[in-house]
Amino acid sequence: MTDDQPALPLPSVDRVLAADAARLAAERFGRRAATLSVRARLDELRGPWRAGAPVDVSTDRIAAAALAALEAADVPSQRRVINLTGTVLHTNLGRALLAEEAVAAVVAAMRSPTALEFNVGDGRRGERDDHVRGLLRELTGAEDAVAVNNNAAAVLLTLNSLAEGREAVVSRGELIEIGGAFRMPAIMARAGCRLVEVGTTNRTHLADYAEAIGPDTALLMKVHPSNYRIEGFVKEVSAKALAPLARERGVALVDDLGSGVLVDLSAYGLQRERTVQEAVSDGADLVTFSGDKLLGGPQAGLVVGRAELVKRLAKNHLKRALRLDKLRLAALEATLKLYRDPDRLAARLPTLMLLTRPAQALKAQAARLRDAVARAAGPDYVVEVVDAASQIGSGALPLATIPSGGLGVAAVDPKRSGAALTALAAILRQAPTPIIGRIADDRLVLDLRGLDDEAELDASLAALAQTHAEAAE
Ligand SMILES: *Cc1c(COP(=O)(O)O)cnc(C)c1O
């Protein structure tokens, strides 16, 4: 501040706190938070004042700013977003949406004590996995099952329980890395087992496995390649073909399915994926899969298979560190129960519901939303209904796309297309419920396959259009 600059004529904190907006702020967020926010807003005015900029020191404006700041800070960090990326099971957006039955089960379990590890029949201690063990046996045909934190944990627990200090044989074509730094060789090392690689990246034969088995071998492992495919001169040995070899040589066969489906997807018009039941009947001793990929449940890792091996996993001390809490077990149990009625599954399980919505219906929805998107985007963009190609996501059927529909937004000025689309993506993320699309081929594509709530998208678009209208005034 220069000597000849007059002091900033700020109202006192108490005067601002008496204004309507500040009173509302105190009611909603507490007096302490409101006071701190008012003080912070007053402090913020000093910089511009010193720089000679005009500042509005009215108590109402400062109070309104204090309330707005508290509201902004109150938005949950893990916000709801609208997934229009075209990837239904998007790991960064939280994967599967839970069925209403699962949501209700979680809410009920949150609110009261539950028989988590308690046998109501005889009053003795029970086991938490009992809530899903019977269902998993019934649905997969396996002898027994355990549930842990996620499939990475399922693989870790399996390898550590069966092969600590010993060897695990894996094809070089299956030493995958999947999102979030899950690398099969690293997991093997953490599990304390020695990785024995067989075959080459593109070709592995039954004889390669047979030759690798020695006195230290504990298991053979098959890994679903999930997010990539090698095409061309390729040879892999199926789990079914490996099973007799594993049995004959007295080693276990583990099949990591990754996504893991419990139903024949072709019955729902989707591309077939090998089911957990098939993996079990093909002769794997243990099969591992995720709870929140195609299964459509909460984050979980499931291991099903031979009872004596499952028992070794359940007894491992690591299991204690990897176990599920009562909320996710409640969600998992409720989700698995839906599979008892395959006829209604697509109507009740959001993952399957979203994946099976016909492209025609999505394009009709896109036509309804077109004008709202155009108003939200503003005059620099052209919006049209387009064909889209969705993906399941999370490593399931990576090359299979599902015909879809959505809106394609292009820049009016093709010379600035890149910058304009990045700017538009940022604007859509500013919506009350952030809208997440995908930029491809000089367009921002809003693929409607993942849309679970049209009214919410409409409202978010309307709020953006409103901001444009205000800015234009
Ligand atoms: C996704 C996946 C995993 C990891 O599962 P999370 O549930 O994400 O921990 C492991 N193996 C394969 C083959 C996968 O596709």
Side-chain angles (χ1 to χ4, degrees):
M1 199 191 299
T2 56
D3 287 342
D4 50 0
Q5 189 175 19
L8 176 59
L10 283 179
S12 71
V13 172
D14 284 342
R15 260 195 59 216
V16 180
L17 281 170
D20 287 345
R23 268 198 264 189
L24 184 60
E27 221 167 81
R28 287 182 49 197
F29 303 103
R31 197 165 166 84
R32 185 185 130 83
T35 308
L36 290 175
S37 186
V38 166
R39 232 178 243 147
R41 303 295 80 76
L42 290 170
D43 284 344
E44 275 168 13
L45 295 174
R46 294 185 214 280
W49 172 261
R50 246 177 258 134
V55 296
D56 181 349
V57 296
S58 76
T59 50
D60 284 345
R61 202 212 57 84
I62 296 167
L67 174 61
L70 288 171
E71 278 171 344
D74 198 45
V75 172
S77 171
Q78 195 187 145
R79 305 175 63 169
R80 271 181 68 90
V81 297
I82 301 175
N83 175 10
L84 304 187
T85 60
T87 299
V88 174
L89 296 169
H90 200 301
T91 298
N92 304 142
L93 303 181
R95 292 191 186 163
L97 310 181
L98 293 188
E100 284 309 315
E101 289 80 356
V103 172
V106 173
V107 171
M110 277 194 286
R111 291 220 169 101
S112 65
T114 63
L116 178 61
E117 292 186 352
F118 183 74
N119 187 325
V120 177
D122 62 15
R124 286 191 225 195
R125 190 175 185 286
E127 276 184 51
R128 64 178 60 211
D129 284 357
D130 283 351
H131 304 294
V132 292
R133 174 177 286 127
L135 277 160
L136 285 166
R137 289 175 49 192
E138 171 191 325
L139 295 169
T140 67
E143 291 174 10
D144 205 352
V146 288
V148 288
N149 178 59
N150 56 13
N151 191 34
V155 171
L156 177 71
L157 182 64
T158 298
L159 291 171
N160 181 262
S161 304
L162 269 47
E164 190 177 18
R166 302 182 62 202
E167 291 171 356
V169 180
V170 188
S171 161
R172 288 197 170 87
E174 296 170 17
L175 287 173
I176 57 160
E177 168 172 328
I178 53 184
F182 176 95
R183 281 188 173 186
M184 200 42 88
I187 296 277
M188 293 233 167
R190 287 288 165 169
C193 61
R194 288 196 301 285
L195 168 64
V196 175
E197 302 176 24
V198 295
T200 59
T201 308
N202 58 330
R203 289 176 76 85
T204 304
H205 304 268
L206 187 61
D208 295 325
Y209 287 96
E211 279 163 27
I213 299 175
D216 274 353
T217 306
L219 58 88
L220 310 182
M221 182 154 189
K222 281 288 291 177
V223 185
H224 190 296
S226 292
N227 48 8
Y228 90 115
R229 281 284 177 284
I230 302 175
E231 303 213 5
F233 189 54
V234 174
K235 163 98 172 95
E236 67 165 313
V237 187
S238 68
K240 192 171 187 163
L242 278 177
L245 173 68
R247 198 118 318 152
E248 182 196 312
R249 305 288 291 272
V251 298
L253 175 62
V254 174
D255 196 346
D256 176 21
L257 287 182
S259 203
V261 274
L262 296 175
V263 290
D264 177 356
L265 291 178
S266 65
Y268 300 90
L270 297 164
Q271 194 172 313
R272 238 189 97 70
E273 163 102 359
R274 196 160 149 261
T275 62
V276 179
Q277 296 88 311
E278 286 171 281
V280 170
S281 70
D282 280 350
D285 296 297
L286 291 179
V287 178
T288 59
F289 55 103
S290 288
D292 57 351
K293 293 186 181 173
L294 274 169
L295 188 77
Q299 181 187 300
L302 304 161
V303 189
V304 302
R306 291 218 338 257
E308 79 220 53
L309 299 182
V310 170
K311 198 160 286 148
R312 280 165 66 185
L313 270 60
K315 280 204 210 132
N316 189 329
H317 289 294
L318 264 182
K319 169 69 167 56
R320 174 67 176 75
L322 303 174
R323 73 186 187 185
L324 287 180
D325 68 298
K326 70 169 182 173
L327 304 183
R328 284 194 281 153
L329 271 169
L332 186 59
E333 178 187 351
T335 304
L336 290 171
K337 280 185 178 153
L338 299 178
Y339 281 89
R340 286 177 163 162
D341 183 0
D343 296 337
R344 278 194 290 167
L345 192 63
R348 296 159 98 190
L349 195 71
T351 298
L352 204 50
M353 189 168 63
L354 294 174
L355 288 173
T356 55
R357 288 167 76 205
Q360 272 316 317
L362 298 174
K363 287 182 79 172
Q365 193 172 35
R368 284 200 294 281
L369 289 160
R370 202 207 75 91
D371 288 351
V373 171
R375 281 191 296 271
D380 297 337
Y381 300 90
V382 278
V383 183
E384 53 184 12
V385 174
V386 294
D387 292 317
S390 312
Q391 288 193 323
I392 295 176
S394 290
L397 301 171
L399 298 186
T401 55
I402 308 169
S404 182
L407 291 152
V409 189
V412 169
D413 176 2
K415 287 197 294 291
R416 334 183 20 248
S417 179
L421 294 182
T422 311
L424 179 62
I427 288 169
L428 292 174
R429 290 198 306 272
Q430 303 294 312
T433 306
I435 301 162
I436 320 291
R438 183 186 69 219
I439 295 177
D441 302 328
D442 275 336
R443 267 197 177 142
L444 179 76
V445 177
L446 304 175
D447 184 329
L448 297 183
R449 180 161 298 288
L451 181 62
D452 61 318
D453 187 341
E454 183 176 335
E456 183 175 39
L457 175 59
D458 225 358
S460 264
L461 291 167
L464 288 177
Q466 179 69 25
T467 331
H468 285 308
E470 279 162 15
E473 269 171 22

